């Protein structure tokens, strides 16, 4: 594959970035038009992306990628990093999704955030997010990607915590941050391994290095595992999934943009982008599959137990990304289908989140589905668009999700041997549960009897909110067919992710059979949900006489308890013990407890408990240790 | 006997600062009180500017000076330049008169009538300026010293003024004086080890110059006990100065007790000087003993990172958090010495240069958040600062992100350079520890950011004072440097790479 050059890529990022800086620096003066500037910036970026797509389609398949060198960023000794952008078939998919869906969400937010006095700041953060996310997918090296990776982290952090009046919101922001830091460690390790093994951190350099065989399989597996850790943190996969549900505390457009359509799928992008690593690192690839399979069930099970509409959707996002991660772990056959599911999911899940936001907008920000019911009559447009998204996500033909999910299930079955059968069955089981919990959401929200609070007067949202929902629902109807017809997306992406033109493996099951099984799974899921929720009245508060399994599922499969007891508590204890040791024990060892009473200097003294003599003793002990060590090491 | 030849041009920058310091002493003694402040400030800044100019003129020098006891080479010039820049920024903070950081009369007993009288009459001594200049001259000598005795003398020239300056705080006099005394006692203790180590090394090598020690190691094969004992004791003295574990205990107390402008000055300048001297010793003088000192430095580096980052989490005082952060940064910087390569030298100098700006900026912001009793360093009272003073909070956030090493700040460039140098030299364990420690460290930097932005301000009298132009200038320079060296670091990196060599 040969890469041309371009001089226009930088505008994709520069427009929203400058707009963001402008909105933040201009201050209150721009409060009245800030949202329009932000929206215009995002839309302009989308238009540039369309031009780039047009130019790209004008070139033939093998030479569609273009790069733009901006400047040499770091050059230390033998090691150089350039700030270079790379737009190829893989990144253009993301660029269009980010700017396209991003613009719709900007439009939606104009109305959704109209009562917020800080709307201008909100749009500045949204623009910042768009710029950072574009940098993430346009960087030509792991290091440039890392900058965008941190940038989206920062922006999402700012946006989740945007409504920081409530302490839980700030806690949620912090939790997201911590999980992401764990992931970031993975990414920085991957960058380090790439640099040491290949002397380069560009995707091209690493791919060439692997082809030349300059890395051991251990190194590649380690790099793959590090990349997977990064993806797991960012994409809320098992075992770092806990933050996503809490992140729903942020404003709903943020959930739609960041936690459904774009940022959380960055892990899928990272793995697809690193296909050259995983194709040569079978152990890491197997890990990817396992993580994907666990998460897709994990998220789905949590989704069954949630009464909070946004948390149910968040669990569903987790599960759907599990599908994508699983697909990327299936090798060259899977990348294109992972991307396809990512794109269709971007449409229908963003649409559903906006729908959820619209419902909340009409219901005084109520998120408990037990307080909804029978909303289809009062909110017909929201009902219709949400309903189309629903049909898409559970995989009813001819809606988008059917095509993309069906392909993943098919690829899973064809993975070969018992692995294929197990993965195929997991993906089918996931489809059953997805159909169940999504039907449950539909029934509890839009059907049944009114269970509204007395203060609630649900009404349809204004057109600025409904139009983006309608456009996204059109996407949920059509994109699946468009992408899969004649394997369009697969062929489009092939030069990037499948350069060796892998032949089709032997098929375990014919595509028709898989489709049939998938539809059967959907039918089973829907029927159970209708039997359980459609016929009976739904209690306005969650029943408490439930089985232990339901309780566990309601507690997010104990993910918080697990984190708290396994990571947080011991971490805190270690910190406390170390601080204690640092302050007192050394002292106590010298002077005994009695000396502690010899405090002379009054209250101020309390802030500094360390005595000089104990510090001196520490120095002496350290000296003895250094002396002993140096003699032992050398002699 | 011929008089030794002294290269006045090469030593010019140091001599200018020393001369100005002496003039400062005379000003303090003889000039009437009305003009002292202006004259002191004028002399100090003029001296720093002149010294920097002279340093710039001799920047391509690479030779021994003062009969082999100094080495004025690229590495020394980069380090001296850094010291001068950070000294200048420190002086800007010290020159602030919009609010008072320094006691009117250092000799007065805390709480005494004398002190009260000095305060009320507005009498303000300005001996802090010559003291700062003395410290700067010591810090410039330190990384250029090419002889253990010169090194020891410059260590003391750097340290003695700092001991005094630590005790000058206007508020919380007792805490400040306690810090000064502690710093002095422990510093003297560490100096003794340093001197003892020098004696051992002299006993084996028969020379105190670095060239002589280097030669002796080559000849003896480097397995002599005297040499190793000497090296170990020398290491203790140096590691005390850079606050590496387990010689770090003084750091939080001294950082907290000192007047904040002095903390800023000390944090940046001492670190540059001490690491500058350390890297010359480990790379040049005892490079031949790498297999002896490397494992120890690796262990100390990892321990320093761990202690610095983990204990910082438990701190409730901003100054103590930053002190532990400074300890952690010493751990990161040690990886550059461990690398023992040209890349490692470059990276260490780059790291020091970027770190100085960020750390001075951080402490400078600290001087602005005050209540009626002086600075407010209790973390809990910083909540909601983002709402009260968005600009100050945003700048502070930038510095914290820089310290955390988030991309697009200078901290990331420094960290990346130093970790890749260590990785290339094959010392993977410190790099893994460093990456993990950075991740943990980010947590407590971010915690401060969270407190500033994600909570509502509490009305408790805490406010942000409007500083005069000098402090604003210092903060602005630090902020711009942190950002620019994060986004476009190449000119600085290239300049340092091309200069950073030791004269053989």
């Amino acid at each position: 594959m040969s890469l041309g050059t371009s001089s226009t890529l930088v505008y994709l990022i520069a427009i929203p970035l400058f707009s963001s800086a402008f909105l933040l620096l201009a201050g209150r003066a721009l409060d009245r038009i800030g949202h329009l500037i932000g929206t215009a910036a995002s839309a302009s970026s989308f238009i540039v992306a369309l031009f780039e797509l047009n130019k790209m389609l004008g070139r033939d398949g093998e030479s569609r990628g273009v790069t733009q060198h901006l400047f040499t960023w770091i050059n230390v000794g033998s090691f150089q990093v350039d700030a270079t952008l790379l737009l190829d078939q893989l990144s253009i998919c993301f660029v269009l999704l980010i700017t396209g869906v991003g613009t719709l969400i900007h439009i939606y937010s104009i109305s959704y955030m109209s009562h917020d006095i800080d709307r201008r700041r909100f749009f500045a953060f949204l623009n910042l997010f768009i710029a950072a996310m574009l940098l993430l997918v346009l960087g030509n090296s792991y290091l440039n990607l890392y900058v965008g990776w941190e940038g989206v982290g920062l922006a999402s952090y700012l946006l989740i915590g945007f409504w920081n009046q409530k302490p839980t919101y700030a806690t949620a922001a912090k939790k997201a941050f911590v999980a992401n830091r764990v992931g970031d460690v993975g990414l920085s390790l991957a960058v380090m391994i790439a640099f040491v093994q290949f002397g380069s951190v560009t995707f091209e350099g690493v791919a060439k290095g692997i082809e030349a065989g300059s890395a051991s399989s251990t190194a590649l597996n380690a790099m793959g595992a590090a990349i997977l850790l990064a993806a797991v943190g960012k994409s809320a996969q098992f075992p770092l999934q806990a933050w996503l549900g809490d992140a729903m505390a942020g404003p709903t457009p943020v959930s739609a943009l960041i936690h459904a359509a774009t940022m959380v799928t960055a892990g899928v992008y990272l793995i697809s982008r690193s296909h050259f690593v995983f194709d040569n690192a079978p152990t890491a690839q197997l890990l990817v599959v396992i993580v994907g399979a666990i998460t897709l069930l994990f998220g789905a099970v949590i989704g069954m137990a949630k009464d909070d509409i946004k948390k149910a959707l968040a669990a569903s996002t987790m599960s759907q990304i599990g599908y994508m991660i699983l697909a990327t772990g299936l090798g060259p056959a899977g990348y294109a289908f992972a991307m396809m599911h990512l794109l269709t999911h971007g449409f229908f899940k963003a649409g559903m989140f906006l729908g959820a936001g619209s419902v909340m907008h009409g219901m005084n920000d109520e998120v408990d589905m037990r307080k909804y019911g029978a909303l289809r009559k009062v909110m017909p447009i929201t009902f219709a668009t949400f309903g189309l998204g629903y049909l898409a996500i559970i995989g009813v033909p001819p809606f988008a999700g059917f095509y993309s999910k069906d392909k993943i299930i098919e690829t899973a079955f064809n993975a070969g041997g018992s692995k294929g059968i197990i993965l195929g069955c997991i993906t089918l089981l996931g489809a059953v549960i997805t159909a169940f919990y999504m039907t449950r959401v539909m029934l509890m929200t839009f059907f049944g009897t009114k269970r509204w609070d007395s203060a609630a007067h649900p009404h349809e949202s204004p057109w600025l909110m409904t139009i983006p929902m309608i456009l996204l629902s059109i996407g949920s109807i059509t994109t699946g067919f468009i992408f899969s017809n004649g394997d369009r997306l697969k062929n489009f992406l092939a030069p990037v992710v499948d350069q060796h033109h892998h032949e089709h493996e032997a098929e375990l099951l014919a595509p028709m059979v898989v489709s049939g099984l998938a539809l059967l799974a959907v039918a089973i899921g829907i029927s159970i949900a209708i039997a359980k929720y459609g016929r009976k009245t739904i209690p306005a508060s969650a029943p408490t006489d439930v089985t232990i399994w339901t309780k566990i599922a309601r507690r997010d499969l104990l993910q918080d308890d697990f984190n708290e007891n396994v990571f947080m508590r011991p971490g805190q204890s270690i910190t406390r013990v170390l601080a204690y040791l640092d302050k007192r024990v050394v002292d106590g060892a010298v002077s005994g407890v009695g000396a502690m009473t010899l405090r002379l200097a009054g209250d101020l003294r309390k802030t500094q408990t360390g005595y000089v003599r104990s510090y001196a003793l520490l120095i002496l002990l350290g000296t003895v240790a250094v002396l002993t060590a140096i003699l032992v090491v050398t002699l | 006997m011929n008089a030794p030849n002294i290269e006045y041009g090469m030593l010019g920058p140091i001599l200018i600062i020393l001369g100005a310091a002496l003039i400062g002493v005379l000003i303090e003694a003889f000039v009437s009180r009305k003009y002292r402040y202006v004259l002191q400030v004028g002399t100090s800044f003029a001296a720093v500017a002149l010294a920097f100019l002279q340093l710039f003129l001799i920047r391509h020098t690479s030779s021994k000076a003062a009969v082999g006891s100094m080495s004025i080479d690229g590495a020394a010039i980069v380090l001296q330049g850094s010291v001068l820049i950070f000294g200048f920024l420190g002086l800007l903070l010290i020159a602030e008169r919009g609010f008072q950081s320094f006691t009117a009369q250092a000799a007065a007993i805390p709480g005494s009538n004398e002190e009260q009288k000095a305060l009320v009459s507005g009498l303000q001594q300005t001996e802090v300026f010559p003291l700062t200049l003395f410290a700067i001259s010591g810090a410039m000598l330190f990384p250029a010293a090419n002889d253990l005795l010169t090194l020891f003398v410059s260590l003391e020239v750097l340290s003695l003024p700092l001991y005094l300056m630590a005790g000058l705080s206007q508020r919380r006099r007792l805490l400040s004086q306690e810090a000064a005394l502690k710093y002095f006692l422990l510093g003297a203790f560490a100096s003794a080890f340093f001197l003892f180590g020098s004696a051992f090394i002299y006993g084996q090598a028969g020379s105190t110059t670095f060239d002589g020690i280097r030669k002796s190691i080559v000849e003896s094969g480097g397995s002599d006990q005297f040499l190793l004992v000497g090296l170990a004791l020398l290491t203790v003295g140096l590691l005390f100065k850079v606050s590496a574990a387990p010689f770090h205990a003084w750091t939080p107390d001294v950082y907290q007790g000192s007047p904040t402008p002095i903390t800023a000055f000390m944090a940046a300048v001492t670190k540059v000087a001490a690491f500058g001297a350390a890297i010359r010793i480990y790379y040049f003088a005892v490079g031949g003993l790498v297999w002896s000192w490397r494992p120890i430095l690796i262990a100390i580096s990892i321990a320093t990172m761990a202690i610095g980052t983990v204990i910082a989490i438990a701190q409730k005082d901003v100054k103590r958090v930053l002190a532990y952060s400074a300890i952690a940064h010493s751990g990161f910087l040690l990886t550059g010495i461990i690398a023992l390569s040209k890349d490692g030298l470059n990276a260490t100098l780059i790291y020091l240069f970027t770190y100085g700006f960020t750390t001075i900026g951080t402490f400078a912001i600290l001087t602005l958040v005050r209540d009626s009793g002086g600075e407010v360093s209790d973390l809990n009272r910083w909540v909601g600062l983002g709402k009260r003073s968005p600009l100050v909070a945003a700048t502070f956030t930038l510095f914290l992100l820089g310290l955390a090493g988030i991309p697009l700040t200078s901290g990331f460039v420094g960290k990346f350079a130093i970790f890749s140098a260590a990785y290339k030299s094959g010392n993977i364990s410190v790099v893994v520890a460093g990456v993990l420690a950075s991740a943990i460290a980010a947590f407590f930097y971010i915690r401060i950011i969270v407190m500033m932005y994600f909570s509502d301000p509490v009305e408790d009298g805490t406010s942000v004072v409007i500083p005069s132009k000098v402090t604003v200038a210092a903060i602005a320079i630090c902020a711009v440097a942190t950002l620019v060296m994060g986004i476009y670091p190449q000119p600085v990196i290239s300049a340092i790479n091309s200069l950073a060599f030791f004269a053989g």
Side-chain angles (χ1 to χ4, degrees), chain A residues 369-393:
Chain A
M369 291 191 287
R370 293 189 185 275
K371 304 251 166 66
Y372 292 168
L375 287 173
R376 68 180 185 283
K377 292 193 190 97
V378 284
M379 306 178 90
I381 301 176
T382 306
F383 168 65
T385 55
F386 196 95
L388 289 169
Y390 157 74
L391 292 172
I393 192 175

Side-chain angles (χ1 to χ4, degrees), chain A residues 519-579:
Chain A
L519 284 177
L520 183 65
V522 172
I524 294 171
I526 297 179
S527 338
I528 301 174
I530 290 179
K532 216 164 163 332
Y533 294 95
R535 305 200 186 285
K536 294 180 223 161
T537 45
I538 296 160
S541 61
T544 48
D545 55 334
V546 289
T547 61
I548 179 82
W549 302 113
T550 312
K551 280 182 188 153
I552 290 176
R554 277 186 191 158
R555 295 198 64 160
D556 297 332
L557 295 181
L558 304 179
Q559 53 189 3
D560 281 335
D561 307 67
F562 180 82
N563 286 349
E564 199 166 298
N565 288 310
V566 176
F567 299 115
M568 223 171 85
R569 289 257 169 79
Q572 283 176 339
S573 316
I574 292 171
T575 313
R576 248 181 261 128
V577 167
L578 274 176

Side-chain angles (χ1 to χ4, degrees), chain A residues 194-450:
Chain A
F195 166 56
V196 169
Q197 291 290 326
F198 311 108
S200 166
V201 291
T202 62
F203 302 131
E204 208 185 352
V206 173
K208 277 191 184 142
I210 292 175
E211 214 156 287
S214 61
S216 67
S217 71
T218 320
L220 284 179
N221 277 319
M223 186 171 169
I227 291 174
L228 177 64
L229 181 62
V232 159
K234 193 62 94 188
S235 294
Q237 298 293 290
F238 182 83
L240 292 178
Q241 76 289 17
W243 64 270
L244 187 62
D246 291 1
M248 293 301 125
T252 308
V254 172
S255 313
L257 178 61
I258 299 185
H259 305 118
T262 56
M263 186 190 82
V264 286
T265 57
V268 182
Y269 170 77
L270 181 64
I271 295 177
S272 307
R273 185 51 95 190
S274 313
H275 61 92
F276 35 78
V277 176
F278 288 97
D279 290 348
N280 295 290
T283 313
Q285 202 167 34
L286 183 66
L287 270 179
V288 173
V289 173
I290 292 171
V291 165
I294 292 177
T295 315
L296 88 85
L297 289 181
F298 202 103
V301 171
I302 294 173
M304 289 197 288
K306 286 288 165 197
D307 289 336
D308 177 325
I309 186 167
K310 284 181 74 181
K311 291 204 168 158
L313 289 176
S316 150
T317 302
M318 201 188 285
S319 161
Q320 296 302 313
I321 296 173
Y323 271 105
M324 300 170 208
I325 296 278
L326 176 88
T328 57
L330 294 171
Y335 297 120
F337 300 136
M339 276 306 298
M340 182 149 77
H341 197 51
L342 192 158
L343 294 173
T344 57
H345 176 258
F347 280 98
F348 60 67
K349 187 53 70 61
M352 290 170 86
F353 263 111
L354 295 190
S358 171
V359 170
M360 286 160 61
H361 193 74
M363 298 287 287
N364 294 340
D365 286 331
E366 179 60 72
V367 288
D368 188 353
M369 291 191 287
R370 293 189 185 275
K371 304 251 166 66
Y372 292 168
L375 287 173
R376 68 180 185 283
K377 292 193 190 97
V378 284
M379 306 178 90
I381 301 176
T382 306
F383 168 65
T385 55
F386 196 95
L388 289 169
Y390 157 74
L391 292 172
I393 192 175
I394 62 172
V396 173
F399 298 98
F402 166 74
Y403 293 97
S404 50
K405 198 187 285 181
D406 193 45
K407 287 288 184 194
I408 293 179
I409 299 175
E410 192 185 315
T411 318
F413 269 116
N414 292 339
S418 52
K419 181 181 154 196
I421 295 170
I422 294 168
L423 291 179
C425 292
I426 289 176
T427 50
L428 275 181
L429 180 60
V432 173
I433 307 177
T434 308
F436 171 78
Y437 70 76
M438 285 313 302
T439 310
R440 175 174 172 272
V441 170
M442 277 304 277
L443 292 175
M444 286 175 80
T445 306
F446 293 106
F447 293 89
T449 51
K450 295 178 189 175

Side-chain angles (χ1 to χ4, degrees), chain B residues 361-362 365 389-401 452-453 475-476 478-480:
Chain B
T362 320
I365 299 272
S389 322
L391 189 61
V392 169
T395 319
F396 198 60
T397 304
L398 171 70
F399 291 135
L400 289 175
L401 293 177
M452 289 195 302
Y453 282 100
I475 294 175
C478 292
V480 169

Side-chain angles (χ1 to χ4, degrees), chain A residues 71-79 143 146-147 150 157 161 164 170 173-174 177-178 181 185 188-189 191-193 195-196 575 578-579 582-583 601 604-605 607-608 610 612 615-616 618-620 622-623 626-627 629-631 633-635, chain B residues 175 178 182 186 189 193 223 225 228-229 231-233 236 240 246-249 253 291-292 295-296 310-311 314 324 343 350 387 406-408 412 416-417 419-420 423-424 435-436 439 442-443 446 450 453-454 486-490 493 497:
Chain A
F71 57 89
T72 299
W73 183 26
I74 309 176
N75 185 355
V76 280
S78 52
F79 177 44
L143 210 49
Y146 187 68
V147 175
E150 293 283 359
Y157 193 48
N164 48 30
K174 218 177 332 186
F177 187 82
V178 172
R181 283 312 295 185
V185 173
S188 41
L189 286 177
V191 174
M192 285 290 177
I193 297 172
F195 166 56
V196 169
T575 313
L578 274 176
D582 190 57
K583 274 190 173 173
L604 283 173
R605 195 66 179 72
T607 56
Q608 258 171 287
V612 178
Y615 293 173
L618 187 64
I619 292 177
L620 186 64
T623 311
V626 169
L627 255 173
I630 208 163
L631 292 171
V633 165
T634 319
L635 301 175
Chain B
L175 201 68
E178 185 185 318
K182 251 183 201 171
L186 294 171
F189 193 49
F193 282 116
S223 58
Q225 284 99 321
L228 293 173
V229 169
L231 176 61
L233 296 175
V236 171
F240 172 83
F247 314 107
H248 67 284
D253 291 0
W291 303 113
S292 304
I296 287 134
V310 174
I311 297 182
Y324 279 104
D343 280 350
I350 292 165
K387 294 220 171 76
I406 304 289
L408 295 186
F412 173 74
F416 203 85
F419 286 161
S420 40
Y423 209 131
K424 268 189 88 182
V435 172
L436 291 175
F443 180 79
I446 297 300
V450 169
Y453 282 100
F454 294 165
I487 296 169
Y488 192 57
Q490 203 46 52
I493 294 176
N497 284 2

Side-chain angles (χ1 to χ4, degrees), chain A residues 56-115:
Chain A
M56 177 180 283
L57 292 175
R59 296 184 289 267
D60 63 309
E62 290 296 311
S63 57
R64 278 180 171 162
V66 288
T67 63
Q68 180 180 5
H69 177 80
L70 298 179
F71 57 89
T72 299
W73 183 26
I74 309 176
N75 185 355
V76 280
S78 52
F79 177 44
Q80 179 174 345
V81 188
D82 292 313
T84 300
L85 303 180
L86 161 73
L87 183 77
D88 62 6
Q89 289 92 326
L90 183 59
S91 28
I92 190 86
C93 293
F94 267 91
V95 169
L96 288 167
L97 179 75
I98 296 160
T99 52
V101 174
T103 304
L104 291 178
I105 289 170
H106 273 77
I107 296 171
Y108 179 92
S109 309
I110 294 177
S111 175
Y112 190 84
M113 300 296 287
S114 58
H115 300 301

